[in-house]
Amino acid sequence: MTGKGTGSDTANGTGIRLHAPAPGWALTADVVVVGSGVAGLTAALRCEAAGLRTVVVTKARLDDGSTRWAQGGIAAALGEGDTPEQHLDDTLVAGAGLCDEEAVRILVTEGPDAVRRLIATGAHFDESSEGSLELTREGGHHRRRIAHAGGDATGAEISRALVEAVRARGLRTVENALVLDLLTDAEGRTAGVTLHVMGEGQHDGVGAVHAPAVVLATGGMGQVYSATTNPSVSTGDGVALALRAGAEVSDLEFVQFHPTVLFLGADAEGQQPLVSEAVRGEGAHLVDADGVRFMVGQHELAELAPRDIVAKGITRRMLEQDAEHMFLDARHFGAAMWEHRFPTILAACRANGIDPVTEPVPVAPAAHYASGGVRTDARGRTTVPGLYACGEVACTGVHGANRLASNSLLEGLVYAERIAADIAASHAEDGLHARVPQPVPHPETPAHPLLAPETRFAIQRIMTSGAGVLRSAESLATAAEQLQRLHTDARDALDEDGKTSEPGVDTWEATNLLCVARVLVAAALLREETRGCHWREDHADRDDEQWRRHIVVRLNPDRTLAVGTTDTADFPPTSRQPHQAPPSRPQEQ
């Protein structure tokens, strides 16, 4: 890691916590898994199978995460003639020079068996008349390797199977619970989490789960933008928690904007209906208002180019024609194919007054997936001892600068299994049952000013305007200044009279969103090139000499950001000694 500045030992954390009441109840476990998507529930099931006392904490109901919204499917080399090596090649190309090749190799070689274990758990994928898996193709893939379920309801089926397995095994779960902060012991090791349970149930209010291992599987942060495919719970809570705990995050500038999201109007906000890439995989065409296929000639795969290229192609055409959206034309599918293969998308379109059987579907890019996140090694370990991360909240190095379509569910499966294996091995070696973690006492005074709930919408507008599909030094600097002003106002109010917004889900979420927004903008401002899904109009070319490396960010105890780069495209070990602080001037948080 290069740089200089005001760094701190990540093992000791930052000392920063959200303003919240002291925990009024507590549970004890060997491992607490935060999140209930494919990554979280897979990790929990594998930990429980290894004999570990496992608690699952999730922000809504068990089946309410991002996984159930996944339409297209899960990618793995399961088809005749396909190989992990071919899957690796496609992933590396999509990642635009920033994938960790070893992490990708783990993904593609362990992926097929992980999918088979998922099927053994109870997930039912669509099959051909001969009884083999029915595979489709998506952007960036040179072969049909996407397994799907219910036509376009893959995530829902995976979620169903895993939730049923969790309930059948009797795992302890705490639903409707927003995780707040990581608990650590006097040595800086993980000692559990604090959380707030919303509504009535076995627990309510702020409590804690004491455990020597914590797995973050909290999903993405799409709600940092006005329009996203992410559910309302995707507010970056896991990344913000990890930063406050002293962990490193990386590659947050690489936000993937899905090219084809149903356009509901320029002022549409919140979760938007996704039109799966599999629709293009089955032969739909992207056209402008005149019916011209504008992706032909831009890439050898045309509409099936990697997502960053398609999103850029759509955005360019929109700018050229001063249009608010383009169209996806799949009228040639006919009613029967739409009803059989894409029933969920068909219903969503018709619910919004559009019939894709008889008319082109208006589409535009919207925030979809965070390729970056909490930095981990090949076993899911972060830079904080005992803290793991997997799924969208993590940065394993698999996705690089742009995620290959349908690799996300596979990454959640593969790395969740590796995390469970590592925790089980540590348990066997150290006897974690015997080590009851003793958390450092909860601070008596507010450690972090909370933002008013309405700040969430201001953050979303700032990010959509300044750090969207197309960025520049000017737009990013404006966004950074506006985000800084939001926090300065909250900090100054706290300094003057000791007051902060009242603790609650809305204020905690807004505060987390501001935290991740500032990191994203700082990284995007530093990366002066165009690579993958990071598109700088003032630096239109890819610059491997200067920028084939990762941007890593930490939160300093004084709430400034330490922003720096790795020396090469390879990540340093997560367990190394504390690095020098990064080269850029720290920013006040």
Side-chain angles (χ1 to χ4, degrees):
M1 195 83 161
T2 60
K4 58 184 179 180
T6 58
S8 65
D9 187 336
T10 58
N12 293 325
T14 65
I16 302 171
R17 288 179 177 171
L18 289 174
H19 177 32
W25 54 270
L27 305 174
T28 301
D30 295 321
V31 55
V32 55
V33 177
V34 186
S36 60
V38 63
L41 294 188
T42 298
L45 286 166
R46 297 294 179 268
C47 285
E48 189 272 342
L52 299 171
R53 295 172 298 167
T54 304
V55 174
V56 177
V57 173
T58 187
K59 193 172 178 181
R61 298 190 306 274
L62 279 181
D63 61 352
D64 266 353
S66 292
T67 290
R68 77 181 182 98
W69 297 100
Q71 295 174 344
I74 184 167
L78 295 162
E80 185 178 353
D82 198 4
T83 65
E85 199 69 25
Q86 294 176 65
H87 190 182
L88 180 141
D89 289 344
D90 285 345
T91 301
L92 295 180
V93 169
L98 278 186
C99 293
D100 181 309
E101 185 166 343
E102 181 56 30
V104 178
R105 194 170 296 280
I106 288 169
L107 179 82
V108 299
T109 55
E110 297 182 11
D113 282 343
V115 173
R116 294 183 185 104
R117 284 189 289 273
L118 178 62
I119 293 171
T121 301
H124 302 293
F125 290 91
D126 296 337
E127 296 180 347
S128 67
S129 57
E130 292 79 27
S132 60
L133 282 177
E134 189 178 74
L135 303 175
T136 190
R137 187 176 161 204
E138 292 184 354
H141 294 273
H142 282 79
R143 282 192 176 271
R144 286 182 170 264
R145 65 167 65 99
I146 316 300
H148 49 83
D152 58 357
T154 309
E157 170 58 18
I158 290 173
S159 181
R160 180 206 61 77
L162 291 174
V163 168
E164 284 190 7
V166 163
R167 288 177 173 152
R169 299 274 278 272
L171 266 73
R172 188 161 195 172
T173 61
V174 183
E175 296 181 274
N176 300 306
L178 171 63
V179 67
L180 299 176
D181 280 304
L182 189 75
L183 294 171
T184 54
D185 63 18
E187 285 74 47
R189 290 189 56 86
T190 292
V193 292
T194 55
L195 61 152
H196 173 77
V197 179
M198 301 163 269
E200 297 181 0
Q202 185 177 359
H203 306 285
D204 60 16
V206 174
V209 182
H210 296 158
V214 171
V215 181
L216 292 179
T218 52
M221 54 185 191
Q223 290 291 325
V224 80
Y225 291 96
S226 296
T228 176
T229 63
N230 289 192
S232 61
V233 294
S234 298
T235 50
D237 307 316
V239 172
L241 173 150
L243 283 163
R244 290 191 294 272
E248 295 179 353
V249 303
S250 185
D251 298 357
L252 228 60
E253 68 272 30
F254 296 119
V255 177
Q256 188 174 81
F257 288 79
H258 198 288
T260 54
V261 175
L262 186 62
F263 181 76
L264 300 180
D267 297 327
E269 294 183 339
Q271 187 177 9
Q272 309 291 302
L274 178 66
V275 182
S276 171
E277 196 154 314
V279 178
R280 281 174 280 137
E282 296 291 353
H285 302 144
L286 280 168
V287 298
D288 60 20
D290 297 321
V292 176
R293 287 183 62 191
F294 54 88
M295 286 303 300
V296 174
Q298 291 199 37
H299 189 276
E300 61 170 341
L301 297 177
E303 285 94 350
L304 283 176
R307 287 180 177 175
D308 62 312
I309 294 172
V310 179
K312 290 172 188 174
I314 292 173
T315 302
R316 283 195 191 98
R317 196 67 158 194
M318 286 164 56
L319 291 172
E320 289 169 3
Q321 299 187 345
D322 193 26
E324 293 182 322
H325 60 82
M326 291 287 111
F327 293 93
L328 190 63
D329 192 353
R331 290 174 290 181
H332 55 285
F333 284 6
M337 181 174 175
W338 268 109
E339 290 164 3
H340 168 72
R341 182 67 178 85
F342 301 111
T344 306
I345 299 170
L346 178 63
C349 289
R350 285 177 170 169
N352 287 281
I354 299 153
D355 188 350
V357 176
T358 60
E359 61 186 316
V361 178
V363 293
H368 181 58
Y369 190 88
S371 293
V374 185
R375 189 169 80 80
T376 75
D377 65 9
R379 288 184 279 178
R381 299 177 298 185
T382 74
T383 52
V384 175
L387 179 64
Y388 296 79
C390 57
E392 191 173 354
V393 72
C395 181
T396 62
V398 159
H399 304 308
N402 180 56
R403 174 178 67 97
L404 181 65
S406 289
N407 268 357
S408 51
L409 292 174
L410 189 71
E411 183 197 32
L413 272 182
V414 168
Y415 281 89
E417 292 187 342
R418 295 179 70 84
I419 285 172
D422 191 73
I423 295 173
S426 297
H427 177 272
E429 182 179 339
D430 301 333
L432 294 185
H433 270 309
R435 187 174 77 80
V436 179
Q438 297 297 319
V440 173
H442 190 278
E444 296 181 0
T445 56
H448 201 302
L450 299 179
L451 301 175
E454 59 269 21
T455 311
R456 174 177 183 145
F457 304 106
I459 295 167
Q460 292 171 334
R461 288 191 290 270
I462 291 167
M463 294 297 291
T464 299
S465 174
V469 178
L470 184 58
R471 307 162 178 179
S472 68
E474 182 180 0
S475 75
L476 290 164
T478 299
E481 180 183 349
Q482 292 171 332
L483 294 172
Q484 170 64 29
R485 193 177 304 128
L486 291 176
H487 187 68
T488 298
D489 291 345
R491 183 206 60 194
D492 289 348
L494 182 64
D495 291 345
E496 288 172 7
D497 52 24
K499 291 182 179 179
T500 182
S501 292
E502 285 298 314
V505 174
D506 290 345
T507 56
W508 288 319
E509 286 185 336
T511 303
N512 286 337
L513 281 171
L514 180 60
C515 179
V516 298
R518 289 178 55 76
V519 174
L520 194 163
V521 168
L525 196 51
L526 183 60
R527 184 174 289 280
E528 295 181 333
E529 66 160 353
T530 289
R531 181 187 297 271
C533 50
H534 173 66
W535 185 13
R536 286 280 298 261
E537 62 179 338
D538 51 338
H539 294 280
D541 298 322
R542 173 169 153 177
D543 184 353
D544 279 350
E545 183 177 350
Q546 294 295 323
W547 287 110
R548 193 164 178 259
R549 59 188 70 201
H550 303 275
I551 293 175
V552 178
V553 183
R554 289 182 294 108
L555 183 62
N556 289 322
D558 61 357
R559 303 190 191 106
T560 59
L561 296 179
V563 186
T565 66
T566 57
D567 296 322
T568 68
D570 297 325
F571 279 123
T574 56
S575 58
R576 72 192 189 288
Q577 292 300 309
H579 56 71
Q580 291 178 292
S584 57
R585 184 174 62 233
Q587 302 175 11
E588 187 173 309
Q589 171 81 353

